Amino acid sequence: MSRYRNLSLFLLLAAVWGSAFMAINAGLAYFPPVLFAAIRYDLAGVVMLAYAAYVVDDPIPRGRGEWTLVAVGAVLLIAAYHAFLFVGQTDPEVTSAVASVTVGLSPVLTTVFARAFLPSERLTFLGVVGLLVGLAGAGVLAAPDPANLAAGGTVAKFLVFLAAASFALGSVLTRALDVGMEIETMEAWSMLFGAAIMHVVAVGLGESMAEVVWTADALLALGYLAVFASGLGYLIYFHLLDRLGPIEINLVSYVAPVFAALSGWLVLDEGLTPNTVAGFLLICCGFLLVKRATIRDELRRRGVVA
């Protein structure tokens, strides 16, 4: 029964996070991009802080180490990741499926940054091959036109790639700091400070609340992202992280694009191109090559292989 429960929660998480890309595209019709991301995390941060106050003995960061961890999360995991992602998704060429598949590069890119910042991490020959295969998948997704690099959403897709890189770097740096801080507390404060940073960036870009078109669809997209994709999504993530471990939970990045493509097609009438499918398969192969030893060890631990 526990196995079926874990599987159900895993699929629910993939569905919520995958369809979040559709909700972003839908909401961008009513919000300036960076301001949209900032408001999302104003709300999500409050939800997560309330949860942290409920489950953690002391939900306030203490000392330089914990505040440094919050700063890394705020700048890279929240502000940079979402600012690049939301701006990139303003381009019609960056469909829900394309965005989610590109973000799926994060686990592969994490290995690159881990090699630089975590001495215990080593990138073998096959690991390098996996990295190159994953990057090739990103190239297939971008499909740049050498004669006109601004055409076909190339710049926008590169911004989404930068979002994935920001998240990967943030993940590695938070591991390197390792101050023993409760993850719920770190996420809550990172969300709130990340939202504040994005508000500053939005002002610098000339975005303002006057540009927001408050409609039922706008509120629905914002509410879905803040409450379900962020609030509920992270609650499920924390629960499964304890039960499944980081390897299995990482696989959500490769199931989410299915739900992103499906929700984008059903709600926004987005199409699915051969490049998107090919890029997805290459990134999956890259992930398997980079993480093959860890995946094998995990399967042995669970008695799946000898």
Side-chain angles (χ1 to χ4, degrees):
M1 182 64 74
S2 177
R3 180 178 299 177
Y4 291 119
R5 183 171 180 269
N6 290 342
L7 177 60
S8 299
L9 288 174
F10 180 89
L11 292 176
L12 178 59
L13 179 61
V16 169
W17 279 2
S19 56
F21 292 96
M22 174 276 297
I24 292 171
N25 274 350
L28 286 171
Y30 308 99
F31 294 89
V34 180
L35 183 59
F36 185 21
I39 296 173
R40 168 190 178 177
Y41 278 97
D42 288 334
L43 301 175
V46 171
V47 171
M48 186 56 66
L49 185 59
Y51 177 69
Y54 177 72
V55 300
V56 176
D57 291 334
D58 183 7
I60 308 296
R62 306 291 178 181
R64 179 180 300 177
E66 292 193 354
W67 281 113
T68 300
L69 185 62
V70 168
V72 169
V75 173
L76 293 173
L77 298 178
I78 302 298
Y81 170 67
H82 290 92
F84 284 132
L85 177 63
F86 278 52
V87 173
Q89 284 196 245
T90 58
D91 192 304
E93 292 293 326
V94 183
T95 63
S96 306
V98 167
S100 64
V101 169
T102 306
V103 168
L105 267 172
S106 290
V108 179
L109 294 173
T110 297
T111 304
V112 179
F113 294 121
R115 182 68 182 86
F117 294 100
L118 299 174
S120 61
E121 299 284 343
R122 292 291 181 268
L123 198 59
T124 64
F125 174 75
L126 282 180
V128 173
V129 172
L131 170 64
L132 295 176
V133 170
L135 292 176
V140 169
L141 277 172
D145 178 3
N148 184 7
L149 291 178
T154 302
V155 173
K157 292 170 185 175
F158 179 68
L159 291 176
V160 179
F161 173 81
L162 288 180
S166 298
F167 193 88
L169 178 58
S171 299
V172 170
L173 291 179
T174 54
R175 284 172 56 197
L177 289 170
D178 191 24
V179 296
M181 186 180 186
E182 296 288 351
I183 188 66
E184 296 88 349
T185 301
M186 190 275 284
E187 286 286 353
W189 289 99
S190 294
M191 287 178 178
L192 291 172
F193 282 107
I197 293 170
M198 288 189 286
H199 276 293
V200 173
V201 173
V203 171
L205 294 174
E207 299 180 0
S208 72
M209 292 294 292
E211 298 177 64
V212 178
V213 181
W214 294 106
T215 67
D217 287 343
L219 292 173
L220 186 62
L222 178 61
Y224 184 82
L225 289 171
V227 177
F228 290 95
S230 297
L232 177 63
Y234 277 110
L235 291 181
I236 296 174
Y237 174 82
F238 294 141
H239 179 75
L240 290 180
L241 183 62
D242 289 336
R243 298 177 69 88
L244 301 180
I247 302 305
E248 287 190 46
I249 199 63
N250 252 342
L251 296 177
V252 77
S253 298
Y254 301 96
V255 181
V258 176
F259 292 97
L262 182 60
S263 60
W265 172 63
L266 288 173
V267 179
L268 303 177
D269 198 28
E270 295 176 342
L272 187 65
T273 69
N275 276 14
T276 305
V277 176
F280 172 70
L281 293 175
L282 284 170
I283 290 172
C284 283
C285 290
F287 173 79
L288 291 174
L289 285 171
V290 167
K291 294 293 185 182
R292 72 197 181 286
T294 310
I295 293 171
R296 183 179 62 244
D297 291 344
E298 181 71 11
L299 291 176
R300 284 175 176 170
R301 187 178 70 84
R302 293 179 177 272
V304 178
V305 297

